[in-house]
């Protein structure tokens, strides 16, 4: 509750100092670094030890930072760590943040070279030649955790139903969209850069990692899958 009337002077304004729950340090760019997590009991950022640190933990960390996915690093990949406040994370994948994962923040057995880190990525990007004039359309590239790069999607089965295009567009912040095939927005630059084929989504997925797909393909440069996402005016 609060009072709408007051007896305050001009120097009695209330304010806040906000802290994000997670931050990255040591990376060359903002999407990578050793992980530091806010410790509410110590009211400071604390480093995370890499014991138990893996894919599930990295994805949750990256989602906390506003990204869609990411990969994990260990062994203080972005610089030695002087002290630790968190250890032995064990996430199962459905948690909203790292605090919901099982972990230890009372003691650890970690040295300076055991810092946990992440390299965060958005799962999808659209690319195209001069044929694509707008940010809401293009050939689809998905982040591949195996190759650690964005790979093209082959158009086999891409337009079998609207689920693939709708998921792609929703990941990009649109409400939905339509599939395109045959490299509508320019030929795939190299068939070796195709990493996904026969993508088949059911319609309830939050990520393409939840859809069925093949990593081997029989596609050429003319078989790039794409989307035209719906823009609200």
């Amino acid at each position: 509750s609060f009072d709408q009337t007051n007896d305050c002077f001009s120097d009695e304004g209330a304010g806040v100092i906000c802290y994000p729950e997670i931050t990255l340090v040591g990376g060359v760019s903002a999407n990578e670094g050793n992980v530091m997590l806010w410790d509410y009991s110590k009211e400071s950022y604390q480093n995370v030890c890499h014991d138990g640190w893996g894919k599930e933990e990295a994805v949750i960390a990256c989602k906390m930072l506003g990204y869609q996915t990411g990969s994990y690093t260990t062994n203080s990949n972005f610089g030695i760590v002087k002290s630790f406040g968190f250890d032995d994370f064990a996430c199962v994948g459905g948690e909203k943040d790292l605090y919901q994962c099982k972990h230890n923040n009372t003691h650890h057995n970690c040295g300076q070279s055991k810092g946990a880190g992440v390299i965060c990525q958005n799962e999808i990007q659209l690319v195209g030649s001069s044929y694509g004039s707008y940010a809401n359309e293009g050939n689809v590239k998905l982040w591949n955790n195996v190759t650690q790069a964005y790979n093209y999607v082959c158009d086999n089965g891409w337009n079998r139903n609207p689920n693939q295009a709708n998921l792609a567009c929703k990941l990009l912040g649109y409400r939905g969209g339509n599939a395109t095939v045959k490299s509508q927005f320019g030929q795939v630059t190299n068939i070796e850069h195709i990493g996904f084929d026969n993508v088949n989504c059911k319609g309830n997925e939050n990520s393409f990692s939840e859809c069925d797909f093949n990593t081997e393909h029989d596609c050429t440069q003319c078989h790039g899958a794409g989307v035209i996402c719906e823009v609200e005016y």
Side-chain angles (χ1 to χ4, degrees), residues 106-126:
T106 57
H107 62 274
H108 67 85
N109 59 347
C110 304
Q112 292 180 329
S113 62
K114 297 185 72 172
V118 291
I119 302 172
C120 299
Q121 304 287 346
N122 286 323
E123 183 177 351
I124 184 172
Q125 59 178 214
L126 301 184

Side-chain angles (χ1 to χ4, degrees), residues 49-101:
C49 181
H50 72 197
D51 292 342
W53 190 253
K55 178 182 177 181
E56 299 292 352
E57 291 74 23
V59 170
I60 293 172
C62 288
K63 287 183 177 179
M64 290 176 69
L65 288 160
Y67 297 93
Q68 295 168 350
T69 188
S71 55
Y72 69 93
T73 66
T74 57
N75 299 314
S76 297
N77 189 63
F78 297 99
I80 62 171
V81 175
K82 295 181 179 180
S83 61
F84 294 91
F86 297 91
D87 192 13
D88 297 318
F89 271 95
C91 304
V92 297
E95 298 89 350
K96 293 182 179 180
D97 56 51
L98 289 171
Y99 299 104
Q100 294 184 354
C101 302

Side-chain angles (χ1 to χ4, degrees), residues 41-58:
S41 63
K42 299 177 181 177
E43 294 189 343
S44 63
Y45 287 107
Q46 299 292 317
N47 289 289
V48 177
C49 181
H50 72 197
D51 292 342
W53 190 253
K55 178 182 177 181
E56 299 292 352
E57 291 74 23

